[in-house]
Amino acid sequence: MDSNASTSVFNEGDRVSLSEDIDTVKLLQEGHGGWTPFMENFIGQVGIVQGLTNVDDVIVKFEELGNKLWRFNPKALTKIDKFNVGDAVRILDDTEKVKRYQVNHGGWISDMTSVLGKIGTIKIAFPDGDLLVSVSGKIFLFNPLCCTKVPQSMKVGEEDDATSMMEMMEQFFNATPDFRSLLQSLHGIVDGSEGQDDQFLVGHTVKIIEDIQEVKKLQEGHGGWNDDMVSILGKTAKVKLVLPNGALLVSVSGKMCSLNPKCCRKVSHSVDDDDSDSGKFL
């Protein structure tokens, strides 16, 4: 056996979370990259493993919080389950934690209170790790840290009626005349092989333009328009997918919407354009 072979439980591409016990993490980081107060921002966020050092420290990027790579003692990290469509999950029952975890992951809405601690079913697993979950006759976007896999046998009250599920999806997505086409576009591209637009990538933060007539015009062939969309004009949103037709699937104000990219202006982004620091710990 190669004496230099890694024994780490972590692999490149794994999603991880940082321990919430700050005092313990500070101790664990001694000799493993150190600690800075900024690291507290990583609690409740999902990191992506970029690689390992020669002593099996883990190099992580938290895409919501910039381009920098961070070195961690593996004992300070927990690997997040890989979720798939159809998985049964239990929603975390700690209100304050869920509110904190939902920052940058679709946000918190008051209706979520009614499903905390309950079991639901994953309907879409997005490339950035966020999960669209059906639970108690409703559908929500959750940070994966809010969900724990449970046996399929624990599912209760699962919606078997396709019409009912379509109605729930329409309530969650800011439903448009092209809603069913949107769902067809989603099929087969939520496994991480999303399309890409020259300007926008998954994870980018955008601002939706405020000109209602311009948005109506631009939406033709890109998800369509309905009057509920007035409420999202001028607001910031997060790109969840870049669809094959170039449209952006964005999360905004607790809902999702398919938008022509020309309706959006990039505010900031968390996907690196320049990975010049990549590998500096390796």
Side-chain angles (χ1 to χ4, degrees), residues 89-259:
V89 294
R90 185 187 298 278
I91 309 302
L92 186 67
D93 62 1
D94 186 320
T95 303
E96 293 308 312
K97 276 191 176 182
V98 173
K99 286 182 177 180
R100 187 165 70 249
Y101 291 167
Q102 284 298 106
V103 174
N104 295 323
H105 294 271
W108 164 268
I109 55 176
S110 58
D111 280 355
M112 288 178 172
T113 302
S114 65
V115 302
L116 299 184
K118 295 187 177 180
I119 293 171
T121 302
I122 295 175
K123 297 301 177 183
I124 298 176
F126 288 102
D128 64 0
D130 284 350
L131 305 172
L132 194 67
V133 182
S134 165
V135 54
S136 298
K138 299 179 181 179
I139 198 156
F140 299 97
L141 182 70
F142 280 113
N143 182 331
L145 296 180
C146 296
C147 301
T148 303
K149 277 188 183 181
V150 297
Q152 293 286 335
S153 59
M154 295 183 68
K155 286 184 182 179
V156 291
E158 177 69 5
E159 300 84 0
D160 294 322
D161 181 12
T163 301
S164 173
M165 177 53 63
M166 180 63 72
E167 289 174 353
M168 282 199 303
M169 295 288 278
E170 287 178 350
Q171 290 172 12
F172 181 80
F173 286 85
N174 200 2
T176 68
D178 293 341
F179 177 75
R180 284 169 174 76
S181 296
L182 170 60
L183 290 186
Q184 291 173 355
S185 295
L186 287 173
H187 180 69
I189 64 169
V190 292
D191 59 356
S193 56
E194 73 278 5
Q196 292 189 347
D197 177 85
D198 289 340
Q199 182 180 5
F200 299 102
L201 295 172
V202 170
H204 281 180
T205 299
V206 299
K207 184 173 182 179
I208 301 167
I209 63 176
E210 298 183 60
D211 187 329
I212 185 172
Q213 297 305 323
E214 182 68 9
V215 172
K216 284 182 178 181
K217 179 181 177 181
L218 291 170
Q219 280 299 101
E220 295 178 7
H222 288 82
W225 166 269
N226 74 26
D227 291 339
D228 286 343
M229 294 175 73
V230 171
S231 66
I232 67 171
L233 300 183
K235 294 191 175 181
T236 56
K238 181 181 176 184
V239 177
K240 306 300 293 182
L241 285 173
V242 182
L243 301 176
N245 66 356
L248 305 178
L249 184 65
V250 303
S251 62
V252 53
S253 301
K255 292 187 176 182
M256 284 196 174
C257 184
S258 173
L259 291 174

Side-chain angles (χ1 to χ4, degrees), residues 5-107:
S6 172
T7 59
S8 176
V9 299
F10 298 101
N11 297 292
E12 184 176 346
D14 284 346
R15 289 186 168 89
V16 295
S17 62
L18 181 64
S19 169
E20 298 190 22
D21 185 339
I22 294 175
D23 290 336
T24 298
V25 173
K26 287 179 179 179
L27 291 174
L28 289 171
Q29 283 299 103
E30 293 179 6
H32 295 270
W35 168 267
T36 69
F38 185 79
M39 289 179 172
E40 289 190 36
N41 294 303
F42 300 149
I43 294 175
Q45 299 300 313
V46 177
I48 307 294
V49 174
Q50 305 297 304
L52 305 173
T53 69
N54 58 2
V55 293
D56 280 349
D57 280 350
V58 186
I59 308 305
V60 180
K61 180 165 64 175
F62 290 86
E63 294 187 335
E64 298 293 343
L65 296 165
N67 300 339
K68 190 172 181 180
L69 301 179
W70 299 83
R71 175 182 171 184
F72 287 99
N73 185 326
K75 294 179 180 178
L77 301 172
T78 300
K79 187 185 295 189
I80 298 173
D81 284 338
K82 179 175 174 57
F83 294 97
N84 298 297
V85 172
D87 284 347
V89 294
R90 185 187 298 278
I91 309 302
L92 186 67
D93 62 1
D94 186 320
T95 303
E96 293 308 312
K97 276 191 176 182
V98 173
K99 286 182 177 180
R100 187 165 70 249
Y101 291 167
Q102 284 298 106
V103 174
N104 295 323
H105 294 271

Side-chain angles (χ1 to χ4, degrees), residues 256-270:
M256 284 196 174
C257 184
S258 173
L259 291 174
N260 185 328
K262 293 181 180 178
C263 294
C264 302
R265 301 290 181 266
K266 189 159 50 174
V267 176
S268 64
H269 63 83
S270 57

